[in-house]
Amino acid sequence: MSPPLVAMHGIEKHFGGVEAVRDVSVALNPGEVVGVLGHNGAGKSCLMRILSGAMAASGGHIEVDGKPVRIDSPQDARAHGIETIYQTLALANHLDAPANLFLGRELKTRWGNLDDRRMLSEARKALHRLNPNFKNLGDPVARLSGGQRQVIAIARAIYFDVKILIMDEPTAALGPSETAMVADLIKTLKAEGIGIFLVSHDMHDVFDLCDRVMVMNKGANVGDHDIRDVTKDDVLSLIVKGTLPEGWAPRRAVA
Ligand SMILES: Nc1ncnc2c1ncn2[C@@H]1O[C@H](COP(=O)(O)OP(=O)(O)OP(=O)(O)O)[C@@H](O)[C@H]1O
Ligand SMILES: [Mg+2]
């Protein structure tokens, strides 16, 4: 069997006396969507920030394709094909879509100048792959809808050979039709073999999109299950109490 795309082993994160992440191990396989759930403050974002190089772990180690790696910065993460879409999207509002897509990674001509023409055509291709109706490529992104902004953030993440995508609450700020569009995008990326960690509070999204759920409670991984083995009530019980309901057995075994 081939190794997982990424495996986190025994990850710890302490802030003074606060144990934000406690001995968490979790893996992600190609084409798999793993939901990361838990109450506010459970440690989800800290765990994901450690994987994306935005935060240093206090302990544990990470393997990519079965090999130990050091991820000390977002650049290190990117070099391993790990990209992150933050809840805030982190777009430059005054710039247009192509400028945002290539922010910090601009395409240059062979004479070292910015290659605006190629960035525009590449941006058009990347955005249309996600949404064939995407327009307004020349507008500052501040003027675009929440859904369009989300498309740009996703296009930016996947343009550079992403293998592992971290999405922290990607639909939290979107309306119903835009949420449905992001769900379709996630299915497209999954079909292309990209592995996705999806941090979400939305149980409907989780059951619609995820192959597995990993629930965090007070910094610990209290359950990692195939989505077919749990009900929404089982997952809620893990979130709230940190345990499965009394007498629980994997649903597939029961059926
Ligand atoms: N930079 C920081 N300094 C100190 N404490 C922090 C820092 N970042 C997070 N924490 C603490 O670590 C714990 C886990 O926070 P984290 O942001 O990972 O939670 P979360 O599961 O993402 O919650 P939410 O659902 O609200 O986004 C919390 O107790 C939080 O207060
Ligand atoms: Mg968070």
Side-chain angles (χ1 to χ4, degrees):
M1 243 178 71
S2 57
L5 284 177
V6 65
M8 303 178 83
H9 298 282
I11 302 295
E12 303 269 350
K13 181 66 191 181
H14 309 149
F15 295 104
V18 178
E19 292 188 82
V21 180
R22 308 175 190 222
D23 191 20
V24 170
S25 300
V26 63
L28 182 67
N29 294 301
E32 189 176 46
V33 183
V34 173
V36 179
L37 282 79
H39 266 319
N40 297 114
K44 307 178 296 293
S45 292
C46 284
L47 183 71
M48 293 299 119
R49 289 169 64 83
I50 288 166
L51 182 59
S52 69
M55 184 182 267
S58 313
H61 66 281
I62 298 174
E63 290 174 359
V64 172
D65 290 329
K67 297 183 199 77
V69 295
R70 284 196 62 131
I71 298 177
D72 294 330
S73 67
Q75 289 72 27
D76 288 349
R78 281 181 167 166
H80 293 296
I82 301 169
E83 291 277 347
T84 310
I85 297 169
Y86 295 100
Q87 192 166 343
T88 54
L89 301 187
L91 298 177
N93 279 318
H94 59 292
L95 300 179
D96 64 14
N100 267 283
L101 225 150
F102 293 102
L103 197 64
R105 297 184 273 192
E106 287 81 4
L107 303 180
K108 303 266 175 69
T109 64
R110 77 189 135 104
W111 299 280
N113 301 318
L114 290 182
D115 195 341
D116 289 321
R117 210 148 48 112
R118 196 152 62 92
M119 286 194 277
L120 177 61
S121 70
E122 288 292 306
R124 184 175 288 124
K125 261 193 273 173
L127 293 165
H128 286 176
R129 166 177 160 210
L130 298 175
N131 181 349
N133 300 316
F134 197 100
K135 294 188 189 76
N136 315 103
L137 263 82
D139 285 3
V141 301
R143 278 198 233 144
L144 304 181
S145 70
Q148 285 178 307
R149 293 163 56 82
Q150 189 74 40
V151 169
I152 295 167
I154 295 174
R156 179 173 61 184
I158 65 175
Y159 181 79
F160 300 92
D161 267 344
V162 65
K163 289 190 295 184
I164 298 147
L165 186 61
I166 301 168
M167 304 177 96
D168 199 342
E169 307 258 4
T171 60
L174 302 182
S177 67
E178 293 178 331
T179 297
M181 184 199 73
V182 171
D184 285 344
L185 286 182
I186 291 174
K187 289 172 187 165
T188 304
L189 301 177
K190 174 182 162 64
E192 293 179 8
I194 294 169
I196 301 175
F197 278 123
L198 178 66
V199 179
S200 180
H201 284 280
D202 186 319
M203 207 60 97
H204 176 266
D205 276 357
V206 167
F207 274 78
D208 179 29
L209 299 170
C210 296
D211 302 289
R212 251 166 59 221
V213 282
M214 193 275 270
V215 181
M216 294 182 73
N217 186 296
K218 299 187 184 124
N221 174 352
V222 292
D224 184 332
H225 298 280
D226 190 301
I227 198 78
R228 293 168 294 183
D229 285 335
V230 285
T231 62
K232 289 180 185 171
D233 283 342
D234 296 340
V235 174
L236 271 178
S237 173
L238 284 168
I239 292 171
V240 176
K241 294 192 286 190
T243 57
L244 286 158
E246 189 130 4
W248 177 86
R251 302 287 160 178
R252 277 180 302 177
V254 175

